Amino acid sequence: MDINIFVEQLLNGFQLGMLLFLFAAGLTLVFGIMDLVNLAHGSIYMVGAFTAATLTLWLDSFILGIIFALPLTLLFGMVLEFIALRTIYARDHMDQVLATFGLILFLNELVRIIWGPAGLAIPLPILLDGSINLPLGIVYPTYRLFIILIGVLVAIGLYWLVAKTRLGMLIRAGASNRVMASALGVNIRLLFTAVFGLGAMLAGLAGMLIAPINQAQIGMGEEILILAFVVIVIGGI
Amino acid sequence: MLSIQSVEAAYGDSQVLYGMTLEISAGEFVTLLGRNGMGKTTTVRTIMGILSIVAGNIKFEEKIISNLPSFRVAKYGIGLVPEGRQIFPNLTVRENLVATAVPANNKGDGWSMERVIDLFPVLKDRLGSMGNQLSGGEQQMLAIGRALMTNPKLLILDEATEGLAPMVRQEIWKCLQRLKKESLALLVIDKNVDILSQIADRHYIIEKGRVVWQGTSMELRANEQLKQNYLGV
Ligand SMILES: Nc1ncnc2c1ncn2[C@@H]1O[C@H](COP(=O)(O)OP(=O)(O)O)[C@@H](O)[C@H]1O
Ligand SMILES: [Mg+2]
């Protein structure tokens, strides 16, 4: 086989892997810490994509669109947790599956009402639209490299957050013994809302990054959700 | 400072506390004694808001704290060293100490990592170890240090010397005496009545979820009958 094709496929694999990583990070965070199976994680990905796409068209800049869409997705996730999901932490996983499946239907419909049934396409920013010449004479799309770069940066940032910061310590403490953490003064509910918001923001970011390639579409979350579950099950939670 | 009045509490259908009443003044060293299963830990859980109460009330510094969320109770200034230590196993010793630490809000003389290590020098070499790599005694010291780092006004210790070697036990008693000197209020639950009747101020004995005797250390030492009747010695 041609080495160029091989490297290109390898990079494509990386790029898809990074998207899945961004998506699955929140899913496992929420499952590991709150013991919540959240099927609606894909819907957050979709909402992130639509929000970023709309902002991109308004502001005429993909980068600005993402910058403003990130905090909005964070907020969306926290509101969703506060209104709907915190009430089902104590339920068993089957109840959670049913409830969050309901949420998928609801959010798909909500997006249809707000944005209409058609997808929303956005152009790639000029800066990221070309190709880059890599060693070995490989020509690779700049945008896919950009996705890989973002994934690496987020991975480093997440590691730093969980392993090195006070917030990370509290997240780990809360995950291992929430009663004790509360008795030492930690507002666990607020902490969980924040963790959920963080996971939502990362899923939203994955949706935003895919939007210029595949459009923002209703139902886009379900595809990646299934893939992510496969990754999580194989990779271990 | 802490006032528990006629508190009733239950786990589901099974009631455990039947009119529990207890008072602690600022700087006082008080013990809660009684046989296993009489409701000592349950009393602690109601103070901390871990278990809700169905009757009575609990006040801390004149503010009602009954059925507040745990984290609020802790923020009012109650530090907990729980039964079974409950160190965070996935955090290092240093992280266990600093994760939930709260700086002292008055004076400059609050608890810091330096002061905790000064109190328990063995922790110094273990700061980088994970919580679950410590011996029982080290875990207990860490649990006390962790609670002190929240700079509480009242420290509650539930069976802090259980299962520890006599030497380590001695160290814990010494630590409690030192804390008492610094006028921290203490509520101590423990089986070692003899030593407690030397170092504590007042005692409560509970049986089936209510207080059956209370008195000073002198009164406790003078009354051999109590031990036989209520403490199973
Ligand atoms: N989580 C629980 N669920 C149900 N019953 C409990 C629970 N914890 C303790 N109990 C019961 O409550 C009673 C008092 O327990 P506890 O307060 O732990 O006693 P003590 O600390 O004095 O040994 C015991 O009969 C015990 O079996
Ligand atoms: Mg007990």
Side-chain angles (χ1 to χ4, degrees):
Chain A
M1 190 170 64
D2 189 339
I3 181 81
N4 291 11
I5 295 181
F6 178 73
V7 172
E8 200 178 315
Q9 289 306 318
L10 201 66
L11 285 172
N12 282 345
F14 258 134
Q15 178 253 305
L16 180 62
M18 285 307 174
L19 280 178
L20 281 170
F21 158 72
L22 288 177
F23 185 86
L27 207 56
T28 43
L29 218 53
V30 166
F31 182 76
I33 295 174
M34 289 94 115
D35 198 27
L36 172 72
V37 179
N38 179 22
L39 295 189
H41 201 63
S43 305
I44 300 172
Y45 169 84
M46 169 181 68
V47 169
F50 272 97
T51 309
T54 303
L55 288 171
T56 299
L57 297 175
W58 277 359
L59 302 168
D60 201 21
S61 158
F62 178 60
I63 300 295
L64 280 183
I66 286 192
I67 288 174
F68 284 103
L70 282 176
L72 287 175
T73 323
L74 177 83
L75 193 69
F76 173 69
M78 297 201 337
V79 169
L80 198 63
E81 195 270 353
F82 191 82
I83 294 177
L85 295 171
R86 82 164 33 172
T87 56
I88 59 170
Y89 290 151
R91 300 298 197 87
D92 69 36
H93 290 159
M94 284 331 277
D95 288 354
Q96 296 175 350
V97 164
L98 276 183
T100 55
F101 181 71
L103 214 51
I104 292 182
L105 301 179
F106 172 79
L107 290 172
N108 276 343
E109 206 47 44
L110 190 68
V111 167
R112 198 188 312 275
I113 290 168
I114 297 177
W115 279 284
L120 199 55
I122 47 174
L124 271 180
I126 298 161
L127 202 65
L128 299 172
D129 197 8
S131 297
I132 282 187
N133 294 317
L134 298 177
L136 299 173
I138 297 164
V139 180
Y140 197 73
T142 314
Y143 187 67
R144 289 180 184 264
L145 280 180
F146 174 72
I147 292 180
I148 295 176
L149 178 74
I150 298 275
V152 170
L153 290 179
V154 168
I156 294 171
L158 262 188
Y159 170 79
W160 172 79
L161 178 79
V162 173
K164 305 288 180 199
T165 67
R166 180 86 177 265
L167 181 64
M169 289 177 208
L170 293 179
I171 291 173
R172 282 179 284 139
S176 82
N177 189 338
R178 70 185 73 167
V179 173
M180 194 59 223
S182 310
L184 286 162
V186 180
N187 185 345
I188 286 284
R189 288 186 151 227
L190 187 66
L191 184 71
F192 281 7
T193 305
V195 169
F196 191 91
L198 176 70
M201 189 171 76
L202 295 180
L205 177 61
M208 296 169 201
L209 290 174
I210 204 73
I213 301 179
N214 285 357
Q215 305 195 334
Q217 299 173 47
I218 291 166
M220 66 191 277
E222 283 77 273
E223 268 168 63
I224 191 168
L225 183 76
I226 290 167
L227 263 183
F229 270 121
V230 172
V231 168
I232 290 172
V233 170
I234 293 175
I237 291 175
Chain B
M1 168 177 247
L2 179 73
S3 154
I4 302 178
Q5 273 158 19
S6 314
V7 161
E8 301 188 14
Y11 296 101
D13 290 338
S14 76
Q15 186 163 353
V16 174
L17 298 184
Y18 297 87
M20 180 67 198
T21 295
L22 182 150
E23 300 266 346
I24 303 176
S25 313
E28 206 180 12
F29 184 162
V30 172
T31 76
L32 183 54
L33 310 171
R35 277 193 280 258
N36 279 339
M38 290 304 162
K40 303 183 296 298
T41 299
T42 303
T43 302
V44 172
R45 290 201 186 115
T46 60
I47 298 171
M48 294 309 301
I50 297 168
L51 181 68
S52 46
I53 66 175
V54 289
N57 75 71
I58 306 176
K59 283 190 208 157
F60 185 67
E61 295 189 314
E62 304 310 318
K63 292 177 290 266
I64 292 179
I65 59 167
S66 340
N67 296 343
L68 280 187
S70 288
F71 79 94
R72 286 208 189 284
V73 177
K75 292 284 183 225
Y76 276 134
I78 303 185
L80 175 64
V81 180
E83 191 172 46
R85 303 167 195 127
Q86 309 203 23
I87 291 305
F88 301 115
N90 53 342
L91 268 62
T92 64
V93 170
R94 178 185 273 108
E95 289 173 337
N96 266 284
L97 288 173
V98 300
T100 54
V102 178
N105 52 3
N106 46 0
K107 316 159 246 165
D109 216 24
W111 285 94
S112 60
M113 188 131 84
E114 290 71 38
R115 287 197 62 208
V116 168
I117 288 171
D118 182 51
L119 185 65
F120 300 121
V122 284
L123 293 181
K124 184 171 183 165
D125 297 327
R126 316 271 355 220
L127 285 175
S129 310
M130 299 309 280
N132 56 2
Q133 295 171 332
L134 302 187
S135 69
E138 289 167 339
Q139 284 195 5
Q140 192 62 63
M141 293 176 201
L142 178 56
I144 296 174
R146 180 179 67 176
L148 287 174
M149 293 278 284
T150 67
N151 280 293
K153 300 170 191 157
L154 165 68
L155 185 66
I156 301 177
L157 296 101
D158 192 353
E159 310 278 7
T161 63
E162 193 174 35
L164 298 186
M167 290 280 287
V168 187
R169 222 174 259 190
Q170 288 303 326
E171 203 163 333
I172 307 270
W173 301 134
K174 254 192 273 166
C175 150
L176 293 187
Q177 285 170 285
R178 186 163 152 187
L179 295 177
K180 154 119 184 107
K181 257 195 217 112
E182 301 194 13
S183 54
L184 182 64
L186 296 165
L187 175 60
V188 174
I189 295 168
D190 210 285
K191 299 265 150 31
N192 295 275
V193 180
D194 291 332
I195 176 87
L196 286 174
S197 69
Q198 304 287 332
I199 63 177
D201 300 319
R202 283 192 310 116
H203 310 268
Y204 290 84
I205 298 179
I206 69 168
E207 174 113 324
K208 302 211 177 93
R210 65 167 72 86
V211 172
V212 288
W213 182 88
Q214 55 173 305
T216 63
S217 281
M218 220 206 289
E219 288 164 341
L220 179 64
R221 288 198 300 269
N223 194 339
E224 275 301 316
Q225 198 61 36
L226 281 177
K227 291 197 200 170
Q228 281 179 19
N229 290 353
Y230 299 118
L231 304 173
V233 202

